[in-house]
Amino acid sequence: MRFQTKIQILFVALFITVQAITLTAVNRTTKSHLKQQNERSLEVARAYFQLSLKQQHDELADKAATLLRNPAFTKAVISADRNIITRALNNLPDEFQSDRLLVVGSHKKIIYDSADSLKKGQQFFDPGLLSEANSTGFSSGFMFESGEASLISFVPVQLTDLVIWLGMVRQVTEANLEAIKTNIALPVNLSLLTRLPEKPSAINVSTTPASLIDPLTLVFQNLLRSTVSSTPVTTRLIDEEIVASIDKVAELPDNTAVFAGIYFSIDDALSVDQPLFNFLLLIAFVGVAIASIGCFYVARSVTTPIRTLDESVTRIASGNYHQRVQLYQPNEIGRLGQALNLMMESLESRSKETEYRLTHDLATGLANREFLEKQLTIWIDAKQQFSTMLIDIAHFSEINNTLGHEKGDQLIIDFSKRLKSLIKGRDFIARLPGKSFVIVLLDTSINEMETVAHQTLTAMDMPFEVSGDNVHIAIYMGAANYPADGQNTRTLLRKAETALDEARLHPLRYAAYDKHSDPYKPEMLSLMGKLREGLKKGEFFFEYQPKLDLTTGLVSGCEALIRWNHPDRGKIYPDEFIELAERSGNIGELTLWGLSEAMRQLEEWQALGGGITIAVNLSVRDIQYRQFSSRVKELLAAREIDPSHIHLEITETEMMAKPELSLNTLQNLSAMGFKLVIDDYGIGYSSMAYIKQLPVSEIKIDRSFVTQLLDNQDDHVIVNSTIEMVHSLGLEVTAEGVEDQNTLDHLKKIGCDYIQGYFISRPLKKKDFEDFLHQHNALDHRPGDDINLC
Ligand code: C2E
Ligand code: CA
Ligand code: CA
């Protein structure tokens, strides 16, 4: 139950209780007060009842006296003749005929009774009453006939020697009593009772309903039996509480007593005051209603701030510190609210700090990987096109080792500053663990992406000044686009990484993701899975492409070109798996197999006689592998061969990618006696001056310059000048990709040492090569002869 509801219920219940107690007390006090008041009123009513009876007596006496003042009537009375009296009576006005007329004569005997009930000559039953009239001028009393009570008043008429009494009789009827009752404020009931000698008192006439007569009789009888009968008594009448009293109003000579009984029902009396009580009840009800409304507002004003505090605490518990408590009361609750606000501020700043630490790289202030992934997910959800450009600083570990970690860290900070200066607007930079960074460009075209890459590469080519030293760094950049290259953050970053691998092999040092060259394509991955297995099962073999010595016109050697006899796909050419093997880390195994196979083959051919050379292709990863030269040494040690007959070909671009890493291996290999050849020369940017420092003995001009040599003036110039320069360095030169006689002739003319190409022969299986070799070299070639292979 809500706190507010509780308070409301409590207050309303309290108020109702207080109201009920007050009302009960008021009711009781009022009742007892009213009872006392009613008892007093009963005294008054009681007196009035008796007074009314007495007034009627007086009235009757007055009437009798008035009659006696009428001489004609008096005469009729004296006549004592019934007929005369009746006639005289009939002549009187109506008011005199409503009551019974009684005439008593000498010896107190009845002369006349208008009701004709008492017989003439009969002794009047209460002679005392007559005597009293004689002495006081009138007298009043009661008479009973057939159980009915009547009031009677006598007035004496003094004749010369006799006295006649004129009596007026009026029966006490219910109407009579009702008439008296109307003048009494209390809702009383009046009764007239008689007690005949030796008999219990009984009600003669009463305003009480007939059904209550008997129990009321009992009440009065009990009252009469009690000693203090004149005091009003509270008693019960059936199920009603009543206050009753009884008074003797007359006693007849025969001991018959007449009583005036009076009572009222307390409930009836109080019911007179019911409107007052109802009014009090209404006031109480209105009071409760007002109190309820008041309680609602009080409870609300008390609980609202508490609820506000409660909600704030719940918010804090759920980690929401941003919404402050809006309580400005100058009391404890207000102060509590302000304290909570202070707490929230401190929690918020701490949580901001923690959040910053969790989402940023502290050294550079750039977003970290978690933040980057979150931000990319937001953009992906919003279908916002973007490009992720992954940047890697080459040889950073060497820089770190050379300069020390402190300067290395400073370099990273300067690098990130320079990167920031290149990026504008909504574009975004993050640092990944280590030396990788990511630039995210929004709504960028491929051209813009390339421009940014170019600008970044150019900017980073400028040296960094670290503690007075000028440090040169090289970076690679790989880009992947949303939505073209991936639908989620991880895929996009992986694709950018694939593009970065591509960039490492590319002279521009930048590459955008290309799904065709992605080694992680499912079919590529499955091919890779089979490569090691294929090596073990002997699925790889060499084809040998002859190499012609232009000076002698003889086949001086061959290049071993690897093939994979795939169980499902048949013969696969190296273009499809070499790069893949390089990226997946399998190239080492492949190269060692190749070298071992080439050495074995050389051993076999040397045994047959002849100084044939075999060129084997190496990968840049091989020569960067520190153990490579020692592994080759082991292979060489196992063979009886002249290592100078093994030519190791490394492409120019590979050699240039990480020359410092490769140099040591190249020197070792050269020292072992192998001949080193720079392959695919011309497509890289290496200067002859640099090549001169390398332990190479031969340069192989890339076939893209050779094939079109005679048709393309540029190629012509390049090939000519290359041959000239190579010779000037004391090195030999081979032109590969010779496809026709004219090219051969031209190359011979300009002094090229060796040629290779489809024009001589396509790569051949071992047996075919051996046949070709024997056939060709058996021809008599003299130095200087034109070589004509057709
Ligand atoms: P490469 O070293 O430049 O080898 C010469 C490639 O040119 C060979 O392709 C050969 O078939 C082709 N070729 C020869 N003469 C001509 C010609 O007159 N015209 C044209 N258009 N092409 C000609 P292949 O055998 O498919 O080898 C492709 C590349 O694979 C090689 O290029 C080499 O870089 C790599 N490779 C081959 N074998 C190995 C190996 O055992 N190890 C490594 N690491 N790489 C290898
Ligand atoms: Ca080659
Ligand atoms: Ca080549």
Side-chain angles (χ1 to χ4, degrees):
M1 193 190 286
R2 276 171 56 192
F3 187 44
Q4 182 179 343
T5 321
K6 261 189 188 170
I7 292 186
Q8 259 169 258
I9 291 176
L10 190 75
F11 272 91
V12 171
L14 213 65
F15 196 78
I16 290 175
T17 311
V18 171
Q19 285 287 64
I21 292 169
T22 311
L23 217 59
T24 313
V26 167
N27 191 25
R28 284 207 175 175
T29 320
T30 313
K31 257 190 176 173
S32 89
H33 177 72
L34 283 172
K35 206 174 126 191
Q36 282 175 13
Q37 203 180 338
N38 288 336
E39 279 168 5
R40 279 199 296 280
S41 301
L42 186 73
E43 295 284 353
V44 176
R46 204 169 137 191
Y48 180 75
F49 184 19
Q50 290 173 38
L51 188 71
S52 296
L53 290 175
K54 193 174 172 307
Q55 269 176 354
Q56 290 198 40
H57 270 129
D58 290 351
E59 203 180 304
L60 289 171
D62 279 355
K63 255 185 178 176
T66 309
L67 280 176
L68 287 177
R69 279 195 288 278
N70 183 333
F73 185 74
T74 310
K75 211 170 161 187
V77 169
I78 294 168
S79 76
D81 182 291
R82 178 166 184 85
N83 290 336
I84 295 168
I85 297 170
T86 305
R87 220 178 298 131
L89 201 58
N90 286 343
N91 287 336
L92 290 174
D94 286 350
E95 55 173 310
F96 292 102
Q97 289 167 36
S98 58
D99 298 313
R100 181 176 162 190
L101 185 71
L102 204 66
V103 183
V104 181
S106 57
H107 306 296
K108 298 177 180 169
K109 287 182 178 167
I110 301 294
I111 293 173
Y112 174 81
D113 179 5
S114 63
D116 206 14
S117 170
L118 298 173
K119 293 300 163 208
K120 191 174 179 181
Q122 189 183 328
Q123 184 86 40
F124 182 67
F125 75 93
D126 189 356
L129 199 63
L130 299 172
S131 308
E132 190 192 334
N134 277 353
S135 55
T136 59
F138 78 96
S139 68
S140 295
F142 288 85
M143 62 179 278
F144 297 92
E145 280 173 332
S146 322
E148 287 179 344
S150 299
L151 298 164
I152 182 164
S153 289
F154 280 110
V155 176
V157 186
Q158 190 67 54
L159 300 172
T160 40
D161 54 352
L162 98 150
V163 181
I164 292 173
W165 292 271
L166 192 61
M168 294 295 279
V169 180
R170 184 181 293 167
Q171 196 185 335
V172 182
T173 61
E174 202 182 317
N176 214 302
L177 295 183
E178 288 290 351
I180 297 169
K181 213 174 115 173
T182 53
N183 291 321
I184 299 171
L186 262 184
V188 290
N189 275 304
L190 306 173
S191 306
L192 204 67
L193 299 95
T194 51
R195 189 182 64 208
L196 300 173
E198 311 303 325
K199 284 205 174 157
S201 49
I203 292 173
N204 282 106
V205 59
S206 176
T207 57
T208 310
S211 60
L212 291 176
I213 293 293
D214 288 344
L216 185 63
T217 308
L218 283 174
V219 168
F220 285 135
Q221 283 172 356
N222 284 338
L223 267 178
L224 284 172
R225 263 198 293 279
S226 73
T227 46
V228 281
S229 59
S230 60
T231 325
V233 168
T234 303
T235 180
R236 296 203 74 79
L237 175 63
I238 307 190
D239 54 357
E240 269 189 303
E241 207 179 8
I242 61 165
V243 180
S245 76
I246 190 158
D247 293 288
K248 195 194 270 179
V249 288
E251 182 138 19
L252 277 62
D254 60 353
N255 281 337
T256 299
V258 181
F259 300 95
I262 186 165
Y263 81 89
F264 70 91
S265 149
I266 290 176
D267 286 346
D268 284 353
L270 289 180
S271 75
V272 174
D273 298 300
Q274 193 62 39
L276 171 70
F277 189 72
N278 286 349
F279 182 63
L280 283 175
L281 211 61
L282 180 72
I283 287 178
F285 182 76
V286 171
V288 169
I290 292 171
S292 301
I293 295 168
C295 279
F296 171 77
Y297 283 105
V298 170
R300 204 172 64 166
S301 71
V302 170
T303 56
T304 302
I306 292 175
R307 201 178 313 137
T308 309
L309 289 175
D310 179 50
E311 284 165 3
S312 306
V313 171
T314 312
R315 275 204 306 278
I316 294 170
S318 68
N320 174 359
Y321 316 123
H322 315 301
Q323 208 176 327
R324 295 284 186 267
V325 184
Q326 301 291 336
L327 274 179
Y328 304 105
Q329 300 177 346
N331 54 24
E332 294 85 341
I333 290 187
R335 284 194 290 280
L336 192 59
Q338 296 319 308
L340 274 180
N341 281 343
L342 283 176
M343 194 173 102
M344 274 195 258
E345 269 167 36
S346 125
L347 281 173
E348 193 180 3
S349 82
R350 245 185 279 171
S351 102
K352 271 186 185 160
E353 200 181 304
T354 313
E355 200 181 311
Y356 183 84
R357 281 172 177 279
L358 288 174
T359 53
H360 287 77
D361 167 52
L362 298 181
T364 59
L366 295 176
N368 64 12
R369 187 175 184 117
E370 283 70 32
F371 191 8
L372 170 75
E373 287 187 2
K374 212 188 257 175
Q375 189 55 56
L376 292 186
T377 308
I378 291 170
W379 281 325
I380 289 169
D381 289 346
K383 302 264 175 274
Q384 162 74 57
Q385 188 272 327
F386 63 83
S387 310
T388 48
M389 303 179 86
L390 190 59
I391 305 173
D392 184 58
I393 305 175
H395 331 303
F396 188 73
S397 53
E398 280 144 59
I399 295 172
N400 244 347
N401 290 340
T402 320
L403 297 177
H405 284 273
E406 219 167 281
K407 288 184 182 174
D409 290 347
Q410 187 54 48
L411 179 66
I412 288 283
I413 293 167
D414 293 348
F415 178 86
S416 70
K417 278 185 192 158
R418 200 177 283 181
L419 202 57
K420 273 188 225 170
S421 71
L422 295 168
I423 300 305
K424 298 165 221 89
R426 288 199 300 153
D427 298 338
F428 183 88
I429 315 173
R431 182 185 174 190
L432 304 187
K435 56 191 174 85
S436 300
F437 294 80
V438 175
I439 302 176
V440 186
L441 305 171
L442 297 178
D443 294 319
T444 319
S445 67
I446 295 202
N447 283 346
E448 285 167 328
M449 212 165 78
E450 277 176 2
T451 310
V452 172
H454 179 72
Q455 284 170 349
T456 311
L457 286 160
T458 314
M460 298 310 173
D461 277 346
M462 301 286 289
F464 286 86
E465 200 192 304
V466 183
S467 310
D469 291 333
N470 270 350
V471 181
H472 289 266
I473 59 161
I475 61 165
Y476 295 102
M477 295 180 77
N481 288 302
Y482 171 78
D485 299 331
Q487 296 301 314
N488 63 60
T489 309
R490 295 223 167 236
T491 308
L492 285 163
L493 289 177
R494 190 182 59 70
K495 301 256 166 112
E497 217 169 307
T498 305
L500 186 71
D501 284 345
E502 186 76 31
R504 286 196 179 100
L505 303 170
H506 202 281
L508 288 176
R509 292 181 283 147
Y510 162 75
Y513 174 77
D514 175 8
K515 67 178 176 199
H516 302 295
S517 63
D518 187 350
Y520 301 102
K521 282 202 299 195
E523 60 267 32
M524 293 295 184
L525 287 175
S526 97
L527 205 60
M528 266 316 87
K530 298 263 168 59
L531 191 132
R532 276 171 180 274
E533 202 184 314
L535 267 176
K536 276 190 206 135
K537 286 185 177 168
E539 289 170 7
F540 289 85
F541 65 95
F542 274 140
E543 282 184 348
Y544 302 95
Q545 188 175 32
K547 194 171 165 185
L548 196 74
D549 182 340
L550 287 179
T551 323
T552 61
L554 296 175
V555 173
S556 61
C558 61
E559 182 176 358
L561 296 160
I562 196 164
R563 308 288 181 249
W564 183 358
N565 191 10
H566 194 275
D568 304 324
R569 296 178 50 185
K571 188 158 92 173
I572 306 178
Y573 284 84
D575 282 345
E576 276 197 64
F577 60 85
I578 290 297
E579 201 181 319
L580 209 59
E582 282 174 342
R583 291 176 198 270
S584 63
N586 287 316
I587 192 68
E589 292 296 307
L590 205 70
T591 304
L592 288 172
W593 173 85
L595 271 173
S596 151
E597 174 63 13
M599 288 181 194
R600 189 199 58 75
Q601 189 58 66
L602 186 71
E603 200 176 45
E604 188 186 316
W605 285 335
Q606 277 184 354
L608 294 173
I612 197 109
T613 62
I614 302 181
V616 180
N617 292 284
L618 298 186
S619 152
V620 70
R621 311 253 164 166
D622 296 325
I623 51 172
Q624 283 170 2
Y625 174 47
R626 291 185 198 283
Q627 309 295 315
F628 184 69
S629 35
S630 55
R631 296 288 302 272
V632 175
K633 201 170 191 171
E634 284 167 22
L635 291 177
L636 183 63
R639 299 283 172 195
E640 287 284 316
I641 54 162
D642 176 358
S644 68
H645 284 227
I646 300 276
H647 293 189
L648 301 176
E649 295 189 1
I650 301 146
T651 65
E652 183 200 1
T653 45
E654 288 186 335
M655 188 94 75
M656 294 309 118
K658 297 189 175 179
E660 72 288 342
L661 266 187
S662 328
L663 193 61
N664 194 31
T665 310
L666 295 179
Q667 278 163 346
N668 287 343
L669 292 171
S670 170
M672 278 182 241
F674 294 106
K675 280 199 164 177
L676 301 181
V677 180
I678 291 185
D679 199 359
D680 298 347
Y681 183 83
I683 54 174
Y685 304 93
S686 44
S687 67
M688 276 296 165
Y690 178 69
I691 286 172
K692 202 180 150 193
Q693 296 168 23
L694 299 174
V696 292
S697 54
E698 187 184 318
I699 302 286
K700 216 169 175 182
I701 302 172
D702 190 71
R703 67 173 182 267
S704 59
F705 303 99
V706 177
T707 314
Q708 309 288 318
L709 177 64
L710 297 178
D711 306 324
N712 186 314
Q713 188 55 34
D714 287 345
D715 291 353
H716 194 94
V717 173
I718 290 170
V719 172
N720 273 11
S721 58
T722 303
I723 292 172
E724 211 171 300
M725 275 192 293
V726 170
H727 283 159
S728 73
L729 291 176
L731 306 177
E732 291 187 306
V733 63
T734 301
E736 61 178 2
V738 178
E739 292 183 354
D740 52 61
Q741 180 72 50
N742 292 342
T743 309
L744 182 150
D745 292 341
H746 178 75
L747 286 166
K748 187 173 174 353
K749 202 169 84 197
I750 60 173
C752 182
D753 302 302
Y754 304 96
I755 57 161
Q756 199 182 321
Y758 290 168
F759 183 63
I760 316 296
S761 168
R762 285 184 176 262
L764 300 168
K765 294 235 171 67
K766 179 200 162 201
K767 179 79 183 58
D768 295 337
F769 173 72
E770 284 169 359
D771 290 349
F772 180 86
L773 184 71
H774 287 132
Q775 257 182 10
H776 185 84
N777 283 1
L779 294 171
D780 190 15
H781 292 289
R782 276 183 304 278
D785 277 0
D786 281 347
I787 300 167
N788 194 332
L789 291 172
C790 297

